[in-house]
Amino acid sequence: MFEVTEESTAEAAGESFTGTAVLRQPGLVLTDHHFDVPLDHDDPGGERIRLYAREVVAARRAQDDLPWLVYLQGGPGFAAGRPVGRENWLDRALEDYRVLLLDQRGTGRSTPATRQTLPLRGTPAAQAAYLAHFRADSIVRDCELIRARLTGGRPWTVLGQSFGGFCAVTYLSYAPEGLAAVLITGGLPSLDADADAVYRAAYPRMEHKSLAHYARYPADEAAARRIAAHLSAHEEVLPDGTVLTVGAFQQLGILLGTGDGSHRLHYLLEDAFVDTVDGPRLSDAFTEQVAAILSRAHCPLYAILHEAIYAQDGQATHWSADRVRAEFPQFDCPFEPGARFLFTAETVHPWMLRTHSALRPLRDTAELLAERKGWTPLYDPDRLARNTVPVAAVIYHDDLYVETEHSLRTARAIRGLRTWVTDEYEHDGVRAGGRAVLDRLLGLVHDEV
């Protein structure tokens, strides 16, 4: 049963803070919060944007003075999860914390940045200048303003998943005074690798994951090659208007980075075709599922700003993943008998601005961001080397999305950071592992394990 009550609006230190509604789920109390923050934190008197965050607390502890834990979602460009009861890691967190699920700027119920809203900014150049304020450094400064409003200035704990972990390392670099502890799951970034170095390490992982999938499901390679051959000869348009090219089909390899992804990919491939009056075509059931996986409608920033999360040397990324792919010709699609078909994963290419329906209107904006220079550093190695905040990170030994060697090198560079290296989970271990992953990390930062 859900209950809704209205809460009041408060103003503090010039930053608007609104708790608008309280919802009750079995065992949980959920409170909406809205915050107005500067678009550009270096211009606090300038334009402001709205951020949304959901407070979650165990019903039996709703009146307790609990420490806060803020969850930073992976991405970039994804909203925080919408809880349904005490699921996965949240079950463990609610034993000790009042949890804040933040929709990072541009996502979810925060001021959106999509093909529908960005044209309100004006020209593609104006849109690109606007989005340049949506990286980890701005997200951390948002968190600091929110922390002052919610905790009364007390430090809080950050849980960063994937890109959220990148943000947590930026937090440790530039505002460690706001942190009681940091927990990172699959998100220890390289402190100095540029986008080219990141993708040179990524393509071999994609190849490894593809071959491991075929070892589990041997018939799937022939099925994938048949689909690719079909796409080379026929235009297939997904229900959302996205053109399914061979390159887009390869991107289904993104599933291989999750705990159940290989199995999901197998079931998807085995039902791809249906006989029609025009011969074999991809089934509606197949294309509908593929559209849901490949869609960027709810997360255009995941594509448009993806390479910018690695940019901090002042240089343009210039479609790094696309350029570096040329160094790995095995990912081209030969159809000779015996040729391998390899899936890709978390890569963004300029052709996506033509094929993906949610990205087409943002094509010029994305091109400008790919050529943008002047990206500033996101990490401070000297400060990280002097870190005093308790930090624990799980590093997934066979992570598809984050290079293990990069993470291990960064772990050694952050003073006092404790690691848990495991192959028990994939990149989504904090969700798939239920409470176990968070419990282990909390034990590490509290010196209990």
Side-chain angles (χ1 to χ4, degrees):
M1 179 177 179
F2 296 79
E3 300 177 7
V4 181
T5 60
E6 293 301 314
E7 293 291 304
S8 62
T9 300
E11 297 288 334
E15 304 296 335
S16 90
F17 159 50
T18 310
T20 57
V22 175
L23 302 176
R24 297 184 185 275
Q25 295 180 5
L28 298 182
V29 177
L30 313 174
T31 304
D32 291 341
H33 294 287
H34 300 272
F35 309 88
D36 290 332
V37 300
L39 169 66
D40 180 357
H41 285 279
D42 290 330
D43 181 19
E47 180 181 353
R48 305 179 80 76
I49 59 174
R50 174 63 59 99
L51 298 180
Y52 170 78
R54 178 177 281 110
E55 173 188 339
V56 186
V57 65
R60 64 182 178 81
R61 306 202 67 186
Q63 303 305 316
D64 293 353
D65 183 20
L66 296 169
W68 283 84
L69 180 147
V70 59
Y71 176 71
L72 299 180
Q73 179 64 280
F78 287 103
R82 274 39 182 169
V84 180
R86 293 181 59 149
E87 54 189 2
N88 54 65
W89 64 268
L90 190 59
D91 181 54
R92 175 63 184 87
L94 292 174
E95 291 182 4
D96 301 331
Y97 296 98
R98 191 176 297 270
V99 174
L100 192 72
L101 302 175
L102 174 65
D103 284 355
Q104 298 163 24
R105 50 174 57 200
T107 74
R109 293 178 64 187
S110 294
T111 300
T114 68
R115 68 174 180 84
Q116 295 174 298
T117 64
L118 283 170
L120 295 171
R121 310 298 310 178
T123 66
Q127 295 173 36
Y130 175 74
L131 293 177
H133 298 293
F134 280 63
R135 296 202 306 159
D137 47 357
S138 295
I139 293 169
V140 166
R141 295 176 80 173
D142 291 342
C143 288
E144 278 297 273
L145 289 180
I146 293 170
R147 181 180 66 84
R149 305 288 77 78
L150 291 184
T151 76
R154 289 182 297 174
W156 59 9
T157 294
V158 168
L159 171 58
Q161 157 66 11
S162 192
F163 170 70
F166 289 30
C167 294
V169 177
T170 301
Y171 215 145
L172 284 166
S173 295
Y174 296 111
E177 64 279 2
L179 299 169
V182 170
L183 313 168
I184 296 173
T185 57
L188 273 179
S190 171
L191 301 181
D192 54 11
D194 62 12
D196 286 10
V198 168
Y199 290 111
R200 286 193 180 99
Y203 279 106
R205 298 198 308 275
M206 298 177 207
E207 181 175 9
H208 167 71
K209 288 290 190 180
S210 296
L211 299 181
H213 174 75
Y214 296 143
R216 175 180 288 122
Y217 292 113
D220 279 12
E221 185 166 14
R225 291 180 70 248
R226 182 188 177 198
I227 295 169
H230 174 85
L231 293 173
S232 295
H234 303 84
E235 181 178 272
E236 293 277 2
V237 180
L238 300 178
D240 68 347
T242 293
V243 179
L244 184 60
T245 62
V246 174
F249 170 60
Q250 285 181 289
Q251 290 186 318
L252 291 177
I254 199 167
L255 293 172
L256 300 177
T258 62
D260 63 354
S262 178
H263 311 302
R264 291 172 58 200
L265 180 60
H266 168 68
Y267 292 129
L268 185 61
L269 297 178
E270 71 176 5
D271 288 328
F273 285 98
V274 63
D275 291 328
T276 74
V277 294
D278 298 319
R281 297 302 295 252
L282 297 180
S283 71
D284 289 345
F286 175 83
T287 57
E288 183 175 356
Q289 292 178 76
V290 171
I293 295 166
L294 298 182
S295 174
R296 297 293 173 258
H298 67 296
C299 57
L301 299 185
Y302 181 68
I304 295 172
L305 285 177
H306 206 105
E307 294 189 355
I309 72 175
Y310 305 117
Q312 50 178 340
D313 59 359
Q315 301 303 307
T317 58
H318 190 54
W319 299 111
S320 176
D322 196 68
R323 289 185 294 99
V324 171
R325 176 173 165 150
E327 301 173 17
F328 298 89
Q330 64 268 40
F331 283 88
D332 295 338
C333 293
F335 299 110
E336 298 81 9
R340 307 313 303 254
F341 178 88
L342 300 177
F343 288 98
T344 57
E346 205 171 47
T347 59
V348 181
H349 304 269
W351 52 258
M352 295 171 62
L353 305 174
R354 300 186 299 273
T355 60
H356 285 52
S357 57
L359 300 180
R360 288 185 200 121
L362 303 176
R363 179 177 179 177
D364 292 342
T365 301
E367 292 283 5
L368 289 169
L369 286 167
E371 300 305 324
R372 181 184 177 88
K373 296 182 178 180
W375 297 113
T376 54
L378 295 169
Y379 314 113
D380 184 339
D382 291 337
R383 196 163 194 180
L384 293 171
R386 303 192 305 273
N387 173 61
T388 59
V389 177
V391 186
V394 57
I395 299 172
Y396 303 117
H397 185 268
D398 200 24
D399 197 324
L400 175 61
Y401 306 127
V402 179
E403 173 59 32
T404 301
E405 289 303 318
H406 289 176
S407 294
L408 289 171
R409 189 163 64 246
T410 296
R412 290 190 289 269
I414 300 176
R415 181 176 179 267
L417 185 148
R418 300 189 64 184
T419 59
W420 171 32
V421 182
T422 178
D423 60 3
E424 185 177 356
Y425 302 103
E426 294 286 350
H427 190 75
D428 62 342
V430 73
R431 291 183 290 271
R435 52 186 289 133
V437 171
L438 183 57
D439 191 59
R440 179 69 177 269
L441 293 180
L442 288 170
L444 288 171
V445 295
H446 296 317
D447 292 322
E448 295 171 352
V449 295

